[in-house]
């Protein structure tokens, strides 16, 4: 697949179906005088439903399907016949997709399991036929309920990869090299910055049949939270990780400073990221002798575990796997998967998607509801229509 096929942010327009109107029909038969009302109920409008699909890994298919509209419910008929329900529209999305309101940035829903269904927009209820309003004092009601209007909403779908360990580091810190060494993943590895242009996942085998998932994202630079470099665009993919593995090369001028810059950028992007378990790996350690390693150890942060590794020679990789496995399965990290999604703001938006203009057929104002209008008061008001 081409690199550009990985789409993790897309804006679409959804519209549920409106409910069908109830019928105002009266029974007519040659030998049945005053047959009374027999108007049927209108059908329900179609829902907009999200469904998780583990076989999808990108939102590319929605890039070319910007409008997702459910069908309307049909009106009721004579003989108390109910109208047909509108057809639901199911949107297949990769596991790990979060949904936000495109206008306000508010978090709406999250799809984290294969086959999980989330009802994004409800279809309008069908109106009741006039047979429901017959009473002892009003045997021939001349009115029926209209169906409830549709709901229209522009939403942003944001894919956040599901992984146990997220790799965080500056460009050329050795993240892709490590992923290719400990898993079967084949990310691009080269000696120039920003070699990794899209996130990648690898399954790391650990002592027998156990394993965990490691996620690699493009390198972060100072100022990424303000929109510099590529890291900001893909930082969302480590929001679900239980453990963050910070990677700093052994030949860096100031390892502690680089670690603090990375930690600060994560905090600016999402403060919840700083609450996750962190591990620091000093990469390219095959260049160090024992004396240099001792000197570096004295300058490293003392508030997190540190391990010296070399993905080329394999030095320290077994110790790194042991450490990551303990952190992933510790009691403190079990709640890390229950992440709190931050609302979308200017730092988390993708400009070309946010400015996308929909060219959809307009809907009559009285046939459309917003979230503020969607409540039971509408239903109660319509049922109390005065027949006169």
């Amino acid at each position: 697949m081409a690199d550009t096929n990985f789409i993790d942010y897309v804006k679409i327009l959804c519209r549920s179906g409106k409910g069908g109107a109830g019928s105002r029909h009266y029974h007519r038969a040659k030998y049945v005088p005053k047959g009374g009302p027999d108007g049927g109920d209108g059908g329900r409008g179609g829902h907009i439903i999200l469904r998780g699909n583990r076989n999808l890994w990108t939102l590319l298919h929605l890039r070319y399907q910007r409008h997702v509209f459910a069908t309307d419910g049909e009106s009721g008929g004579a003989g108390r016949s109910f109208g047909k329900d509108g057809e639901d529209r199911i949107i297949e999305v990769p596991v790990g997709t979060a949904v936000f309101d495109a206008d306000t940035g508010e978090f709406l829903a999250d799809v984290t399991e294969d086959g999980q269904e989330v009802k994004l927009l409800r279809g309008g209820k069908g109106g009741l036929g006039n047979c429901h309003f017959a009473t002892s004092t009003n045997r021939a009601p001349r009115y029926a309920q209209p169906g409830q209007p549709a709901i229209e909403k522009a939403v942003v779908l944001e894919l956040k990869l599901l992984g146990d360990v997220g790799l965080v580091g500056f460009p050329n810190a050795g993240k892709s090299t490590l992923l290719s060494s400990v898993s079967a993943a084949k990310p691009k590895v080269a000696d120039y910055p920003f070699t990794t242009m899209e996130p990648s996942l690898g399954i790391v085998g650990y002592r027998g049949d156990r394993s965990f998932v490691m996620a690699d994202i493009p390198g972060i630079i100072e100022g990424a939270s303000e929109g510099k470099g590529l890291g900001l665009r893909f930082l969302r993919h480590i929001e679900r990780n239980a453990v963050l593995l910070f990677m700093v090369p052994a030949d860096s001028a100031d390892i502690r400073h680089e670690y603090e810059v990375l930690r600060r950028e994560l905090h600016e992007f999402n403060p919840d990221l700083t609450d996750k378990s962190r591990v620091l790996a000093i990469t390219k350690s095959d260049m160090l002798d024992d004396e240099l390693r001792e000197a570096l150890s004295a300058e490293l942060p003392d508030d997190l575990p540190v391990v010296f590794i070399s993905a080329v020679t394999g030095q320290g990789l077994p110790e790194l796997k042991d450490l990551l496995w303990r952190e992933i399965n510790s009691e403190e990290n079990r709640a890390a998967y229950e992440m709190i999604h931050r609302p979308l703001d200017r730092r988390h938006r993708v400009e070309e998607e946010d400015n996308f203009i929909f060219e959809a057929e307009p809907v009559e104002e009285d046939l459309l509801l917003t979230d503020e209008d969607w409540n039971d008061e509408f239903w109660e008001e319509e049922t109390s229509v005065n027949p006169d």
Side-chain angles (χ1 to χ4, degrees):
M1 301 294 288
D3 292 345
T4 55
N5 282 354
F6 182 80
I7 303 298
D8 59 356
Y9 186 105
V10 68
K11 178 181 176 182
I12 63 175
L13 180 67
C14 300
R15 183 192 301 160
S16 62
K18 66 176 183 289
S23 173
R24 295 181 295 175
H25 191 270
Y26 297 92
H27 181 64
R28 295 288 186 268
K30 184 174 182 180
Y31 300 107
V32 184
K34 299 181 180 180
D38 68 345
D41 301 344
R44 169 188 62 80
H47 302 310
I48 301 295
I49 299 174
L50 297 179
R51 177 190 292 164
N53 187 339
R54 64 182 179 184
N55 296 319
L56 294 177
W57 61 280
T58 175
L59 297 171
L60 177 66
H61 59 293
L62 295 176
R63 171 69 66 88
Y64 305 104
Q65 189 183 3
R66 298 286 190 170
H67 303 144
V68 182
F69 298 157
T71 59
D72 301 331
E74 295 183 357
S75 301
R80 301 198 178 191
S81 60
F82 294 168
K84 181 181 178 182
D85 290 344
E87 182 180 354
D88 298 337
R89 289 299 306 274
I90 298 178
I91 306 175
E92 300 276 353
V93 295
V95 175
T97 300
V99 188
F100 299 86
D101 188 307
D103 298 321
T104 65
E106 178 187 2
F107 170 72
L108 300 177
D110 197 12
V111 180
T112 57
E113 298 179 3
D114 181 47
Q116 176 187 353
E117 291 190 352
V118 175
K119 190 180 295 182
L120 184 60
L121 298 180
R122 295 179 297 172
K125 295 181 180 178
L128 299 178
N130 62 348
C131 64
H132 291 276
F133 303 105
T135 65
S136 59
T137 58
N138 184 16
R139 296 188 175 185
R142 301 191 302 272
Y143 58 90
Q145 276 186 335
Q148 282 190 329
I151 302 178
E152 183 176 287
K153 182 183 291 292
V155 298
V156 168
L157 302 182
E158 191 179 64
L159 175 60
K160 302 178 182 182
L161 297 180
L162 297 175
D164 300 304
V165 180
L167 304 182
V168 182
F170 286 95
N172 277 11
K175 302 186 299 298
S176 298
T177 305
L178 173 64
L179 184 63
S180 62
S181 299
V182 299
S183 72
K186 301 299 180 184
K188 185 177 181 180
V189 178
D191 58 353
Y192 56 85
F194 295 111
T195 306
T196 302
M197 299 297 291
E198 64 182 38
S200 56
L201 294 176
I203 299 178
V204 181
Y206 176 75
R207 298 188 184 276
D209 58 351
R210 293 177 291 183
S211 63
F212 57 89
V213 179
M214 183 175 287
D216 178 26
I217 65 171
I220 302 172
I221 63 174
E222 188 170 3
S225 59
E226 299 298 327
K228 297 181 181 179
L230 298 175
L232 177 68
R233 175 75 178 266
F234 300 105
L235 279 175
R236 65 176 69 96
H237 294 289
I238 61 174
E239 288 185 301
R240 296 189 188 275
N241 302 148
V243 180
L244 299 181
L245 178 59
F246 288 79
M247 302 182 63
V248 181
D251 57 354
S252 299
D254 190 336
I255 295 179
R256 178 185 287 270
H257 173 71
E258 290 197 9
Y259 164 73
E260 293 296 336
V261 170
L262 293 171
R263 191 174 64 86
R264 184 171 60 251
E265 293 301 328
L266 295 188
H267 178 79
E268 291 294 330
F269 180 78
N270 185 351
D272 292 334
L273 289 176
T274 56
D275 297 332
K276 293 182 179 292
S277 177
R278 303 188 299 275
V279 175
L280 177 60
I282 308 302
T283 63
K284 306 177 184 179
S285 297
D286 52 312
M287 301 184 300
L288 303 176
D289 55 22
D290 293 339
E291 184 178 351
L292 287 175
R293 183 175 303 181
E294 291 180 4
L296 286 178
S297 299
E299 302 176 359
L300 297 178
D302 54 3
D303 60 342
L304 76 167
V306 179
V307 59
F308 289 84
I309 64 171
S310 173
V312 176
T313 64
Q315 173 188 340
L317 296 186
E319 293 81 359
L320 177 63
K321 291 182 181 181
D322 290 339
L323 179 57
L324 293 176
W325 183 261
R326 288 196 301 269
E327 293 293 331
I328 292 170
N329 293 279
S330 64
E331 293 295 334
E332 293 79 6
N333 290 327
R334 293 191 181 276
Y337 293 99
E338 302 297 330
M339 61 172 293
I340 300 176
H341 294 272
R342 75 289 181 276
L344 290 179
D345 58 23
R346 65 175 185 83
R347 295 172 300 172
H348 309 118
R349 299 277 191 170
V350 177
E351 184 176 356
E352 59 269 24
E353 286 291 325
D354 218 39
N355 296 334
F356 184 83
I357 300 176
F358 296 106
E359 297 180 357
E361 297 181 359
V363 182
E364 298 179 19
E365 292 294 333
D366 59 342
L367 299 181
L368 188 63
L369 273 182
T370 63
D371 281 348
E372 291 75 13
D373 302 324
W374 183 266
N375 52 49
D376 293 334
E377 293 180 3
F378 169 84
W379 190 253
E380 294 170 358
E381 292 173 1
E382 293 296 337
T383 57
S384 59
V385 176
N386 189 335
D388 296 329

